[in-house]
Amino acid sequence: MTPPAEESITIRPARPEDAEGIAFVHATSWRETYGRFVEDPDASPWFAVEPRIGMWRSNLAEDVFSTMVAVAGDRIVGFAAVQQTTDADAVRPEELTMLYVLAAAHGSGAGQGLLDAVLGERPASLWVAADNPRARAFYRRNGFIPDGAQSSFGPMEETVRLVR
């Protein structure tokens, strides 16, 4: 769903009524990006929309993250979320916890608009799949570099932490 030329991307703060749209983008973009890491994406709970709806209703109601959405027409095509890092061992004051854009909206400027709106040029950390060259190139263009920390999450066997 690449937005038509006359349909621009609007970036705005997320609202409680966006929970279903964010959950759809969250699950769908995970399937598009990480579905190759599991044997049967249709059977994997990581790619289910329904559980994410409740999670996002709660996140938005409780203001867990600073969340922005990218909207094309009346449809959410991406979102980004940042939170303060208060752990004693935090490497940056904020963490970009999520930035997802539907594959059909890649190249539309939604990802860059979301990153700019939710974080600007502030220092932050984030985790990304080691085997996600598109995301890693995007973050590199935005000044993020690996700091050597590695972990795993969900279907991703290796994630790396990036900082700026």
Side-chain angles (χ1 to χ4, degrees), residues 31-96:
R31 177 184 290 267
E32 292 170 342
T33 306
Y34 308 124
R36 60 193 166 93
F37 295 140
V38 299
E39 191 171 313
D40 184 3
D42 291 332
S44 174
W46 290 103
F47 310 120
V49 175
E50 285 304 315
R52 292 183 190 265
I53 293 172
M55 179 191 87
W56 276 104
R57 282 187 179 133
S58 182
N59 286 344
L60 294 170
E62 297 170 21
D63 221 12
V64 173
F65 308 104
S66 173
T67 306
M68 303 293 282
V69 294
V71 181
D74 61 354
R75 184 170 179 219
I76 294 173
V77 297
F79 73 95
V82 169
Q83 68 181 21
Q84 296 294 311
T85 50
T86 57
D87 297 339
D89 61 346
V91 296
R92 295 294 186 268
E94 292 180 286
E95 180 179 356
L96 178 65

Side-chain angles (χ1 to χ4, degrees), residues 120-134:
E121 296 292 323
R122 297 189 309 274
S125 64
L126 64 94
W127 290 90
V128 64
D131 185 13
N132 188 342
R134 181 182 183 87

